[in-house]
Amino acid sequence: QSALTQPRSVSGSPGQSVSISCTGTSSDVGGYNYVSWYQQHTGKAPKLMIYDVSERPSGVPDRFSGSKSGNTASLTISGLQAEDEADYYCCSYAGSHMVFGEGTKLTVL
Amino acid sequence: EVQLVESGGGLVQPGGSLRLSCATSGLTFSNYRMHWVRQAPGKGLVWVSWINGDGTNINYADSVKGRFTISRDNAKNTLYLQMNSLRAEDTAMYYCARDTAGLHYWGQGTLVTVSS
């Protein structure tokens, strides 16, 4: 049950686009279309941003999008805004358990 | 409005026990798989356990298997986590979350500190 691999940090200027990768194995990310992404601001509970690889819950801006290729999933945030600065975690179903990524800190410059 | 409220956290000595609760409202509780997720101070999210709607399918992370027990009372709309043989590394904020193709709703968490 190893954590999925994410970059420790990414950054971008307002209006730019950034992508966060999430690499697992054929037993988790690559084996199921059940990858989700969570945004967490400091001291707050996580918030679901993407589920089932690329679906957005109601209320999440369409600036947030998800995709997957093989064992790697990605979250792309376009038109960066200051309020997007937060920690982001991917998560995958893995048959008998769930596994989260290590987390990525997004800094809006 | 869906609400999840965790309780039961606190300071406990190594080897001790705690029972966490997650009271829910605004949802048909028995319809949903529920999860516990924890986050050590300054660290990332870690999945702990899940239980399906009728309690017949349960799974645990290897790190807690044999020490933690997840359960639910659908009549009370409440999820539980019985934690035994607690270790320093179990120190974390514990969140409950509702599963609907992704963890759509989360509580605010309850803090568990394992220390002598």
Side-chain angles (χ1 to χ4, degrees):
Chain A
Q1 298 181 355
S2 300
L4 306 175
T5 301
Q6 295 181 230
R8 182 175 294 266
S9 63
V10 297
S11 62
S13 300
Q16 288 186 332
S17 294
V18 296
S19 288
I20 300 172
S21 61
C22 169
T23 301
T25 69
S26 58
S27 296
D28 38 62
V29 174
Y32 307 93
N33 287 323
Y34 297 132
V35 176
S36 50
W37 289 90
Y38 301 86
Q39 175 191 67
Q40 187 180 34
H41 288 107
T42 302
K44 301 293 187 182
K47 175 186 176 183
L48 178 67
M49 306 302 285
I50 295 288
Y51 67 96
D52 291 355
V53 176
S54 59
E55 299 296 316
R56 269 189 317 278
S58 61
V60 173
D62 59 7
R63 303 185 294 104
F64 291 83
S65 62
S67 62
K68 190 186 84 166
S69 178
N71 296 337
T72 298
S74 296
L75 173 71
T76 299
I77 309 170
S78 59
L80 267 179
Q81 299 182 3
E83 59 262 36
D84 298 334
E85 184 161 296
D87 294 324
Y88 290 84
Y89 296 90
C90 61
C91 180
S92 177
Y93 177 75
S96 63
H97 61 281
M98 308 280 282
V99 58
F100 280 92
E102 299 157 323
T104 298
K105 181 175 181 57
L106 168 63
T107 300
V108 180
L109 302 170
Chain B
E1 179 190 6
V2 175
Q3 285 195 317
L4 288 72
V5 179
E6 301 94 338
S7 61
L11 175 63
V12 61
Q13 292 188 338
S17 298
L18 275 179
R19 188 197 198 200
L20 306 184
S21 298
C22 170
T24 72
S25 60
L27 70 159
T28 306
F29 181 67
S30 59
N31 285 356
Y32 299 102
R33 182 164 64 178
M34 299 292 294
H35 298 254
W36 287 100
V37 176
R38 70 184 181 183
Q39 186 171 34
K43 302 296 185 181
L45 300 173
V46 176
W47 177 80
V48 173
S49 181
W50 83 42
I51 183 169
N52 71 338
D54 62 8
T56 58
N57 183 268
I58 289 172
N59 278 293
Y60 300 96
D62 288 345
S63 58
V64 306
K65 202 171 294 183
R67 300 187 300 121
F68 290 11
T69 301
I70 192 172
S71 63
R72 64 191 300 158
D73 185 334
N74 287 343
K76 294 183 177 179
N77 296 328
T78 302
L79 175 72
Y80 302 100
L81 186 68
Q82 177 67 43
M83 304 187 297
N84 298 331
S85 303
L86 282 162
R87 306 165 179 167
E89 54 265 36
D90 295 318
T91 293
M93 184 72 77
Y94 284 74
Y95 297 99
C96 62
R98 188 198 91 176
D99 186 342
T100 314
L103 304 183
H104 281 243
Y105 293 97
W106 296 65
Q108 286 305 301
T110 186
L111 182 62
V112 172
T113 303
V114 184
S115 175
S116 55

